[in-house]
Amino acid sequence: MAFAKNNRVEPPKPRTIAEPPMLHAIAEPAKPPAIVEPSRMPPVSLPKSERDEIQQRISNFRAHQERFAREREEFAASLLKRMLQRS
């Protein structure tokens, strides 16, 4: 427990891009590294209501299931075609 009390959480510092050192430019004063702003997350578009969210999820699920059924039928048809060609 003493270890946990000694740890402090500090806010993150902005990232910088360090330039590689140049051997021939020793006489020039060093430039401060450029500050890079952290990337921001795009705003989340929430559905207008829970009902809309449920309807969207159901339609996505149905489309997914229909795609699986279509792929399964195509695979079965191609497999049957190959079997009939070999015999």
Side-chain angles (χ1 to χ4, degrees):
M1 190 66 166
F3 175 74
K5 288 182 180 178
N6 291 336
N7 288 336
R8 291 185 304 153
V9 177
E10 297 180 10
K13 297 178 184 175
R15 297 181 184 176
T16 59
I17 298 176
E19 295 180 11
M22 291 190 246
L23 298 177
H24 65 281
I26 295 175
E28 294 181 17
K31 296 179 187 176
I35 296 178
V36 178
E37 290 295 322
S39 60
R40 303 281 182 224
M41 297 274 301
V44 177
S45 61
L46 297 174
K48 296 183 180 11
S49 70
E50 291 179 8
R51 181 182 206 88
D52 293 339
E53 180 182 359
I54 292 170
Q55 288 175 343
Q56 181 66 36
R57 287 177 182 252
I58 290 172
S59 65
N60 288 344
F61 177 78
R62 284 184 181 150
H64 199 244
Q65 292 298 313
E66 288 171 2
R67 190 187 91 214
F68 276 148
R70 187 172 49 252
E71 288 175 357
R72 188 171 46 245
E73 289 295 325
E74 290 171 359
F75 176 74
S78 68
L79 186 63
L80 181 62
K81 183 178 177 183
R82 281 186 286 159
M83 291 171 55
L84 292 175
Q85 286 175 351
R86 289 184 182 181
S87 57

